[in-house]
Amino acid sequence: MKKIVKVVAIAVAIALVLIAIKNEYARFLMQDASYGMPAVIAEDREYRDNADDQGVTLFIGSSMFRQGLDIYSLEEELDGRNYILSYNGNDPALEYLELEYLIDNDVRIAHLYMDMYTGSMIKSPWVSDDLIFLQTDTEFKLKVWNNIKADAGFSDFWEMFVSSGNDLLLSWPVYNTVASSVFYRGGNISQTASVNGEFQENVAKDNNTYLASPYEDLEPGDGFNDEQISYIRKIIKLCRDNEIEITFIETPKYISYGISREYMEMIYKFALILEEENTQYYLSGTSKASIPTDAKLPHLKGTVEFDNSKADYYIDPIHLSPSGRTLYTQELAEILNDRFQDS
């Protein structure tokens, strides 16, 4: 019996050591990847001795940035280094921790562009993309857990610290090679994309009435999650404390989604928060047209005109297709470039 207990104790101890090693050191495997925070940190260190380097122009957001921004178009128009850091469902609470993590790792950020993802503003802090757990240290994960523990259970704790990413670690050489082949500096460079079947079917019926919105159950006057609002303000303050210029960008949504009452109300509320914080932002032409004409928006730096009525430019109501991504980013990058030249 004692022997069995000893064997079990040794096995548990070994498991705990392996879990600790994974949580603290797995991130170093991703330094040579073409996406993610470890790659951003590793690249910035390589440029430390370059006197001409002013830091990275960083785009932090959700899958809207990954699918909506073309890294090649950004590099063609904008000077310096550009990098897209995106995670599925990225919300302000997590984005704040990502930005703090990069700053703590001495990444020099020349300009930060943030995703105006309204869908993340109506929910409590959560993590939708567990890849981030492989890319960060134990301290980061503990901060994430502190944010989500009120709505989480033991299974979520187990996934975060024990099971997440194990399949990727076991197949790392293959996975990293395949994943890196479709990313460049965090941007999705694949020219193929799977179109959402429901989206395609409804567009075929009538592309002006299809609505697939996370806000369908909202009543007029319903607001954003208070924690997410506070993290928007914390992100802005963190940038000011570290002398980082910050700008928010709304990517274009398919027309029937973008002109829905729910979405127009939410994007206007987002704009008003940024106005309260004296923070600049860019809207789509559709969203700007939906805002009351007498609204005072001095920090709205401009609009990005894009034909959001063409279904070919979308794979679903909120994500652009490869062709849509290229066309939109060319328009956006030209506007951002003109702004820098005028300043």
Side-chain angles (χ1 to χ4, degrees), residues 201-329:
E201 179 181 342
N202 282 279
V203 165
K205 293 177 182 177
D206 184 348
N207 69 358
N208 288 319
T209 60
Y210 175 50
L211 176 67
S213 166
Y215 321 111
E216 290 172 347
D217 296 329
L218 288 178
E219 296 298 329
D222 284 351
F224 289 154
N225 178 276
D226 288 340
E227 287 183 273
Q228 301 294 4
I229 294 175
S230 73
Y231 273 105
I232 289 290
R233 301 189 195 279
K234 287 179 181 179
I235 289 169
I236 294 169
K237 184 179 185 302
L238 185 59
C239 284
R240 288 176 179 156
D241 290 346
N242 289 274
E243 300 182 340
I244 299 170
E245 188 171 5
I246 181 172
T247 304
F248 284 75
I249 296 173
E250 176 207 10
T251 57
K253 309 304 184 284
Y254 186 64
I255 186 167
S256 59
Y257 183 106
I259 64 173
S260 67
R261 173 191 61 79
E262 297 89 350
Y263 183 77
M264 289 189 292
E265 180 179 320
M266 290 296 151
I267 200 66
Y268 184 37
K269 286 183 178 181
F270 206 137
L272 292 180
I273 293 170
L274 299 181
E275 290 292 340
E276 290 175 5
E277 294 295 324
N278 300 312
T279 300
Q280 58 198 8
Y281 57 98
Y282 290 87
L283 295 177
S284 69
T286 300
S287 290
K288 174 60 173 66
S290 74
I291 291 174
T293 55
D294 60 348
K296 292 180 173 57
L297 304 174
H299 296 93
L300 174 59
K301 305 305 292 184
T303 59
V304 185
E305 299 299 333
F306 178 77
D307 187 358
N308 63 345
S309 67
K310 286 196 69 171
D312 289 347
Y313 291 163
Y314 291 84
I315 60 173
D316 62 37
I318 61 176
H319 294 107
L320 294 168
S321 67
S323 60
R325 176 172 69 226
T326 300
L327 290 172
Y328 167 70
T329 311

Side-chain angles (χ1 to χ4, degrees), residues 14 22 29 40 94 135 163 188 211-212 219 224 255 276 290:
I14 292 173
K22 169 199 163 184
L29 285 173
V40 175
L94 191 57
Q135 298 184 354
S163 64
N188 184 355
L211 176 67
E219 296 298 329
F224 289 154
I255 186 167
E276 290 175 5
S290 74

Side-chain angles (χ1 to χ4, degrees), residues 19-308:
I19 290 169
I21 291 173
K22 169 199 163 184
N23 279 295
E24 189 62 28
Y25 298 108
R27 57 196 164 106
F28 292 113
L29 285 173
M30 302 199 69
Q31 290 183 123
D32 296 326
S34 55
Y35 55 92
M37 283 193 285
V40 175
I41 294 167
E43 180 190 81
D44 194 72
R45 287 174 179 160
E46 291 178 4
Y47 280 85
R48 293 281 167 81
D49 297 328
N50 186 339
D52 296 327
D53 184 70
Q54 301 299 311
V56 62
T57 297
L58 191 62
F59 296 79
I60 295 183
S62 65
S63 55
M64 257 71 77
F65 266 17
R66 184 171 62 248
Q67 289 295 135
L69 297 178
D70 176 52
I71 187 64
Y72 293 134
S73 298
L74 293 175
E75 291 206 323
E76 185 176 338
E77 287 289 339
L78 304 181
D79 293 334
R81 295 184 287 124
N82 298 275
Y83 213 103
I84 300 170
L85 184 64
S86 63
Y87 296 97
N88 293 331
N90 225 3
D91 62 20
L94 191 57
E95 290 167 340
Y96 172 81
L97 294 179
E98 292 160 12
L99 177 60
E100 182 185 54
Y101 186 80
L102 294 174
I103 291 172
D104 288 346
N105 279 274
D106 300 319
V107 173
R108 296 159 304 141
I109 303 173
H111 197 122
L112 175 63
Y113 290 99
M114 295 292 301
D115 182 7
M116 289 181 73
Y117 176 31
T118 57
S120 69
M121 295 293 291
I122 63 174
K123 60 178 185 172
S124 298
W126 196 253
V127 181
S128 300
D129 191 340
D130 61 7
L131 182 62
I132 198 169
F133 299 139
L134 274 185
Q135 298 184 354
T136 50
D137 59 18
T138 306
E139 182 181 0
F140 179 91
K141 287 186 271 288
L142 288 171
K143 289 179 179 179
V144 172
W145 177 253
N146 189 57
N147 274 352
I148 70 171
K149 63 184 180 182
D151 298 312
F154 178 76
S155 62
D156 300 301
F157 183 89
W158 181 269
E159 181 178 359
M160 180 183 296
F161 290 97
V162 180
S163 64
S164 65
N166 290 343
D167 55 335
L168 301 184
L169 289 175
L170 291 172
S171 61
W172 182 251
V174 175
Y175 170 80
N176 189 47
T177 300
V178 173
S180 291
S181 70
V182 296
F183 287 96
Y184 170 65
R185 306 185 65 76
N188 184 355
I189 59 175
S190 173
Q191 291 304 304
T192 60
S194 177
V195 179
N196 179 279
E198 183 184 2
F199 172 70
Q200 200 169 40
E201 179 181 342
N202 282 279
V203 165
K205 293 177 182 177
D206 184 348
N207 69 358
N208 288 319
T209 60
Y210 175 50
L211 176 67
S213 166
Y215 321 111
E216 290 172 347
D217 296 329
L218 288 178
E219 296 298 329
D222 284 351
F224 289 154
N225 178 276
D226 288 340
E227 287 183 273
Q228 301 294 4
I229 294 175
S230 73
Y231 273 105
I232 289 290
R233 301 189 195 279
K234 287 179 181 179
I235 289 169
I236 294 169
K237 184 179 185 302
L238 185 59
C239 284
R240 288 176 179 156
D241 290 346
N242 289 274
E243 300 182 340
I244 299 170
E245 188 171 5
I246 181 172
T247 304
F248 284 75
I249 296 173
E250 176 207 10
T251 57
K253 309 304 184 284
Y254 186 64
I255 186 167
S256 59
Y257 183 106
I259 64 173
S260 67
R261 173 191 61 79
E262 297 89 350
Y263 183 77
M264 289 189 292
E265 180 179 320
M266 290 296 151
I267 200 66
Y268 184 37
K269 286 183 178 181
F270 206 137
L272 292 180
I273 293 170
L274 299 181
E275 290 292 340
E276 290 175 5
E277 294 295 324
N278 300 312
T279 300
Q280 58 198 8
Y281 57 98
Y282 290 87
L283 295 177
S284 69
T286 300
S287 290
K288 174 60 173 66
S290 74
I291 291 174
T293 55
D294 60 348
K296 292 180 173 57
L297 304 174
H299 296 93
L300 174 59
K301 305 305 292 184
T303 59
V304 185
E305 299 299 333
F306 178 77
D307 187 358
N308 63 345

